[in-house]
Amino acid sequence: MKTFTIAVIAGDGVGTEVIPQAKRVLEKIAEKHDVCFSFQDFDWGANHFFRWGRMMPAGAIDLLQPCDAILLGAVGHPEIPDHTTLNGLLLPIRRAFDQYANVRPAYLYPGVDSPLARPKGGDIDFVVVRENTEGEYAQVGGFVYQMQPEEIAIQTSVFTRRGIDRIVRFAFDLAVKRNKKKRVTSVTKSNAQGYSMVLWDRCFEEVAAEYPHVETESLLVDAAAMNFIRRPESFDVVVGSNLFADILSDISAILVGSMGLAASANLDPLRRFPSMFEPVHGSAPDIAGKGVVNPLATILSAGMMLDHLGMGDAARELESAIAMVLAEGKVRTPDIGGTSSTEEVTEAVLEKLA
Ligand code: GGG
């Protein structure tokens, strides 16, 4: 029987509530598909920080490296600055394992309401591809005259031809693989960012020339934000820098109903290192501990992990089970208009899988 070793970092807040639900679903899938998931739990995050002064131990990357994949819940705590939690756990993992493609699907499931009046289930179906290792997240910079009245902060974005080429190529390959509209939209702000984003535009044009059958579009990020609302049905694959695509994927998440449905994959497409799967949402301290967080974003992320591990059939089966639960509309958490608990939603998915 094939065994997959999955590193599990539940993290903080609602992360500790959604991860056990994804594990339950994965156990069910394992039973049905004659595989074994060997979960290795790592109790890293805010509590680790309070105890040891760091979000994860010094040898964390070495511990994760041999695993087949990483399943992550959420990071963030109201008593720790967000840049400490993010730079102490999530970003070092993305960088150490060169998970350069962050894939964030936006699909409006039948039965789920979009805040927009027009689109019906299935009408919105696109993927935001986020460059995940450089750009505005490069953490290059520093303070001068720190904590003094004349304090200066310098933060430099890092855009490389290699980094842009590979993420743009990933987006085109995804458009071909999806075989839907075969359309890639590139998002920049090259009118104002006259070096880095001009390089991005040039790389985009060069890679696009290799895919003559894929339609292309280039939008400034402000126009992209507007067009996500105005014509969400027109998008297929949207590719953007680390920061822009992060922001846009919050818009796409709410367009398809809720952050509670937004899944993501941090991929090393070359498969040299483990890829990491996580809900787009954070630790949500406002609802943590109440048992009402939507587990579907994490369960859908686990589905993306199944796909990545070569279990495409199991991934489709899981997606259909979730689609059925959403279409019936009987069991749903408050973020999408229901009154069910986190566990009740998982149980409804497990019932469909059975
Ligand atoms: N699901 C992991 C998590 O907590 N994400 C929240 C977050 O702040 N992410 C930052 C980012 O993806 O840039």
Side-chain angles (χ1 to χ4, degrees):
M1 188 194 289
K2 173 92 182 142
T3 297
F4 295 103
T5 306
I6 311 296
V8 181
I9 310 168
D12 309 320
V14 296
T16 60
E17 295 172 61
V18 291
I19 285 291
Q21 309 306 318
K23 282 164 99 177
R24 285 174 73 190
V25 170
L26 286 169
E27 301 278 19
K28 181 65 163 183
I29 295 276
E31 213 178 283
K32 289 187 76 181
H33 288 261
D34 207 25
V35 297
C36 174
F37 292 111
S38 165
F39 295 116
Q40 286 194 13
D41 292 286
F42 296 102
D43 62 347
W44 303 336
N47 287 335
H48 191 277
F49 182 89
F50 290 131
R51 188 144 185 229
W52 304 105
R54 44 190 305 155
M55 292 291 285
M56 58 183 187
I61 297 298
D62 293 337
L63 292 172
L64 296 174
Q65 178 133 12
C67 299
D68 292 300
I70 305 162
L71 190 60
L72 175 90
V75 281
H77 190 283
E79 285 158 38
I80 310 175
D82 286 339
H83 67 267
T84 302
T85 50
L86 202 59
N87 285 292
L89 198 150
L90 191 50
L91 302 190
I93 298 174
R94 288 178 184 166
R95 253 185 243 118
F97 297 137
D98 207 13
Q99 295 165 346
Y100 67 84
N102 186 268
V103 180
R104 299 183 162 190
Y107 177 71
L108 181 58
Y109 282 96
V112 177
D113 285 337
S114 169
L116 304 182
R118 202 179 58 249
K120 302 280 168 301
D123 286 353
I124 303 178
D125 182 3
F126 66 95
V127 181
V128 176
V129 172
R130 167 185 180 187
E131 197 294 315
N132 213 30
T133 51
E134 53 176 52
E136 308 87 342
Y137 273 53
Q139 288 306 323
V140 176
F143 294 107
V144 189
Y145 307 120
Q146 200 167 356
M147 309 307 279
Q148 294 177 42
E150 60 272 50
E151 184 162 14
I152 299 170
I154 295 174
Q155 181 113 31
T156 305
S157 297
V158 176
F159 285 84
T160 65
R161 181 176 274 281
R162 167 184 173 265
I164 303 167
D165 271 354
R166 66 183 185 174
I167 196 64
V168 168
R169 191 163 277 111
F170 179 89
F172 275 92
D173 287 339
L174 183 60
V176 172
K177 188 170 155 211
R178 274 166 61 82
N179 201 16
K180 293 189 173 170
K181 295 189 184 73
K182 291 226 180 107
R183 183 159 210 249
V184 178
T185 303
S186 165
V187 177
T188 64
K189 186 71 183 170
S190 45
N191 57 346
Q193 303 272 293
Y195 303 109
S196 54
M197 300 243 155
V198 168
L199 174 62
W200 180 293
D201 281 350
R202 267 197 270 124
C203 292
F204 182 73
E205 273 173 34
E206 283 169 25
V207 174
E210 296 170 26
Y211 297 82
H213 304 300
V214 178
E215 200 187 322
T216 62
E217 172 181 45
S218 276
L219 292 177
L220 297 177
V221 66
D222 42 338
M226 177 182 72
N227 284 318
F228 267 31
I229 308 293
R230 194 170 62 139
R231 52 171 173 88
E233 306 91 338
S234 70
F235 295 102
D236 180 14
V237 176
V238 179
V239 63
S241 66
N242 215 329
L243 181 64
F244 288 175
D246 182 46
I247 296 168
L248 288 175
S249 63
D250 269 34
I251 305 181
S252 62
I254 204 64
L255 284 179
V256 297
S258 171
M259 286 301 285
L261 294 173
S264 82
N266 302 273
L267 299 177
D268 165 21
L270 305 181
R271 295 174 180 272
R272 298 153 298 170
F273 305 109
S275 291
M276 177 164 66
F277 302 83
E278 53 162 322
V280 173
H281 66 71
S283 58
D286 53 332
I287 56 162
K290 296 185 178 160
V292 294
V293 58
N294 193 338
L296 292 179
T298 311
I299 295 174
L300 284 163
S301 305
M304 294 177 84
M305 183 179 81
L306 292 173
D307 217 4
H308 182 76
L309 293 173
M311 298 181 64
D313 290 349
R316 300 292 87 73
E317 197 180 323
L318 178 53
E319 254 173 52
S320 311
I322 292 169
M324 279 190 264
V325 171
L326 290 170
E328 283 176 8
K330 287 189 250 163
V331 184
R332 50 178 62 191
T333 41
D335 58 303
I336 46 172
T339 54
S340 309
S341 69
T342 306
E343 291 212 350
E344 283 164 348
V345 172
T346 310
E347 268 141 32
V349 174
L350 289 172
E351 206 176 287
K352 296 296 177 203
L353 282 173

